[in-house]
Amino acid sequence: EATVMTLEEYRTLVALAEAQTKSTLKSAAGLPPLKCSLTEVIYTGVANETSVRFEAAFKLTVASKEWVRCDLGALMCLGSITLDGKPGWVVMADSAAISPPAPSAKAEMKPQSGIIHAYLLVKGEGQHSGTLSFSLPLQREEDVQKLSGPLLNSATAVMHLNVPGRTAILGDS
């Protein structure tokens, strides 16, 4: 499978890759702006002894014709990702280094340093769809296994979770 792009798009992606390989990111000059939002995510998860593997189908809306980035959040164990049926481009970066707060923001509103976010690179105004896979570990306390971890921040979400054996769902959200 191949990705076809113009020479200008290729040069833009090479510049982004070079910025990412440097040891520190002190400015957002090399990355496109955040100008998209996740509108829907449907999760399908399968639990095993130590973790849950999720496949997520998502829809997003882009507000620009140029390259933008979509914050997928602090996903753990990110696997494959597609966008509009083709392999997706993801940049992993410290959220505080990429998105410094506005000068008027209060101290408690600042992004936490050290939290690595996945940013999906997208080009083209309008609706897009994609898939991604990731895993979350299960924590064991005596006879109980608990699942906790970050998910995509979307307007709507549905989760289908297959768990072997007897189960009880407890939520605190």
Side-chain angles (χ1 to χ4, degrees):
E1 193 168 306
T3 301
V4 179
M5 63 187 78
T6 67
L7 180 59
E8 180 180 320
E9 290 171 332
Y10 172 77
R11 287 181 177 157
T12 301
L13 290 172
V14 168
L16 289 170
E18 288 174 347
Q20 187 60 26
T21 58
K22 295 179 182 176
S23 62
T24 59
L25 286 171
K26 294 191 176 177
S27 74
L31 290 174
L34 283 168
K35 286 191 177 177
C36 72
S37 61
L38 286 164
T39 55
E40 176 183 312
V41 181
I42 299 173
Y43 299 95
T44 303
V46 178
N48 62 37
E49 289 294 316
T50 59
S51 65
V52 177
R53 185 69 182 170
F54 285 100
E55 299 293 327
F58 61 87
K59 294 180 182 177
L60 59 89
T61 303
V62 176
S64 173
K65 293 179 182 178
E66 300 301 317
W67 284 103
V68 298
R69 62 190 156 101
C70 182
D71 188 356
L72 300 177
L75 293 177
M76 298 175 162
C77 303
L78 186 60
S80 64
I81 185 163
T82 65
L83 182 64
D84 297 327
K86 298 176 183 170
W89 293 81
V90 175
V91 174
M92 304 296 286
D94 184 322
S95 59
I98 296 297
S99 302
S104 63
K106 296 180 181 178
E108 56 268 13
M109 303 279 290
K110 291 181 183 177
Q112 292 178 305
S113 182
I115 297 177
I116 303 300
H117 278 228
Y119 295 98
L120 176 63
L121 302 181
V122 185
K123 185 173 184 181
E125 187 175 32
Q127 295 282 328
H128 296 270
S129 62
T131 63
L132 64 89
S133 61
F134 64 98
S135 294
L136 291 176
L138 288 171
Q139 296 92 33
R140 183 177 289 273
E141 294 177 12
E142 297 179 17
D143 295 6
V144 177
Q145 289 182 317
K146 293 182 179 183
L147 176 65
S148 178
L151 297 175
L152 300 172
N153 187 15
S154 65
T156 63
V158 175
M159 181 179 291
H160 304 280
L161 183 58
N162 295 322
V163 180
R166 292 182 359 176
T167 61
I169 298 176
L170 303 172
D172 59 352
S173 55

